[in-house]
Amino acid sequence: MTPTTNNTTQSLIILGSTGSIGVNALSVAKSFGIKIESLSAGRNIALLNTQIKEYTPQKICIADSKDRDKLDTTLIKQHNIEVFYGTSGIIEMIESSQSNLVLNAIVGFAGLAPSLKTKQCGKKLALANKESLVSGGWLFGNYTITPIDSEHFGLSYLLRDKDSQTLKRLIITASGGALRDMPLTELPNASLQSALKHPNWKMGQKITIDSATMANKLFEVLETFWLFGVREIDAYIEQSSLIHALVEFIDGSLSAHLSVADMKLPIAYALDSAKARNLGLIAPFDMTKFCNIALREIDTGRYPLWRLKDELLSSPKLGIVLNASNEIAVNAFLQEKSLLATLSK
């Protein structure tokens, strides 16, 4: 597949509009004057109602039809909005929408089917759903994907007009997550509340937990493989989240992509690269912070999952096993349940 950042968008479909990526995408779309044709959301119907009022989409989809009574029916009727439900509803909504760009910010494995439908419909895909590539990257061969993860956006930015024969290694960075400074002896008893306090990013619960365990970085390594077709991939901890990606070349040189931690930048390039280059949606980079940037290796004593990196790169289709087991474990942790008890059911 071919990652790209060259797009001009007239209207947009956003899947996962009430999550952090979706909220940022709506903000960027408004700045760019892009019409929102369709929105999907999970269970945060109150926020969805606010979005409907502000952006007046033609179509919406909610996760559960049991929540339809929470929708603002006055707005629905006033704007003649078509309502869909569940995963099948998302698929139908994508197919029936006229917009040529789908921004998929759904969390978890549930994002794979909408990504495949987007491909089937011949629409462009701006992808924030990691699990689409982690669980089914081989299903997207010869299909253009615009990555929204800051790391893969950074790699795309660095690799523009570069000859792949000159590459030695692709490098992404990790913040280390919420538990990066917790004493190792305390990690087995880390609370849900402590694991959800990400030091740099405001994200959803699952991705915040994945960041704390380094599962998220394993996902991003696999995404990197499927997007760029390179197996020489490494990651380092960079606590400030100012460096997002680096490219090492066979001539011995190294290029880095730096920016403040703001997802509006990759989203802006996915929606309209020309406007993204010229409007300055995020704060300028503070060069005084550059002095404090340091890279360090990922300690497998603190992040034992990282031991799986090379095996996953050798057999990337194992990502579907990684994702399924991780979703079960994270769901149990978020519900503060025993994983063994969950697996025994």
Side-chain angles (χ1 to χ4, degrees), residues 221-239:
V221 164
L222 286 170
E223 287 181 276
T224 301
F225 167 76
W226 291 115
L227 284 167
F228 301 98
V230 174
R231 291 183 190 269
E232 291 72 33
I233 306 166
D234 283 319
Y236 292 89
I237 290 178
E238 195 282 286
Q239 292 192 6

Side-chain angles (χ1 to χ4, degrees), residues 168-212:
K168 181 178 180 181
R169 186 171 55 143
L170 302 183
I171 302 168
I172 56 178
T173 61
S175 67
L179 307 179
R180 68 189 181 197
D181 299 319
M182 179 175 283
L184 287 175
T185 55
E186 297 179 17
L187 277 179
N189 299 313
S191 68
L192 173 60
Q193 291 71 29
S194 61
L196 288 173
K197 293 179 180 178
H198 196 284
N200 301 347
W201 297 92
K202 183 179 180 181
M203 307 183 293
Q205 288 189 330
K206 180 183 180 296
I207 191 173
T208 304
I209 299 301
D210 287 346
S211 176

Side-chain angles (χ1 to χ4, degrees), residues 13-18 36-45 47-49 51-52 57-65 67-68 71 76 81-97 106 110 114:
I13 301 164
I14 298 179
L15 310 180
S17 69
T18 56
I36 305 301
E37 180 182 5
S38 306
L39 294 177
S40 83
R43 305 302 294 267
N44 191 347
I45 308 302
L47 178 54
L48 178 61
N49 282 330
Q51 294 174 345
I52 292 170
Q58 298 172 29
K59 306 172 190 291
I60 61 168
C61 183
I62 59 174
D64 195 332
S65 59
D67 289 330
R68 58 190 169 192
L71 289 169
I76 300 296
I81 297 171
E82 190 173 2
V83 183
F84 301 84
Y85 304 100
T87 301
S88 61
I90 292 176
I91 300 303
E92 188 178 353
M93 185 179 76
I94 292 170
E95 194 169 26
S96 63
S97 296
I106 293 172

Side-chain angles (χ1 to χ4, degrees), residues 325 328-333 336-345:
S325 56
I328 293 170
V330 172
N331 185 59
F333 186 65
E336 299 184 86
K337 294 180 179 179
S338 163
L339 179 56
L340 291 176
T342 301
L343 293 173
S344 67
K345 291 184 178 179

Side-chain angles (χ1 to χ4, degrees), residues 104-121:
N104 185 353
I106 293 172
V107 175
F109 183 76
L112 175 58
S115 291
L116 289 172
K117 172 53 68 172
T118 301
K119 177 188 174 185
Q120 182 185 4
C121 291

Side-chain angles (χ1 to χ4, degrees), residues 22 27 35 53 135 150 158 186 190 200 281 295 313 315 333:
S27 175
K35 178 176 174 54
K53 184 176 182 180
S135 298
S150 59
L158 292 170
E186 297 179 17
N200 301 347
L281 286 177
L295 298 176
L313 282 172
S315 304
F333 186 65

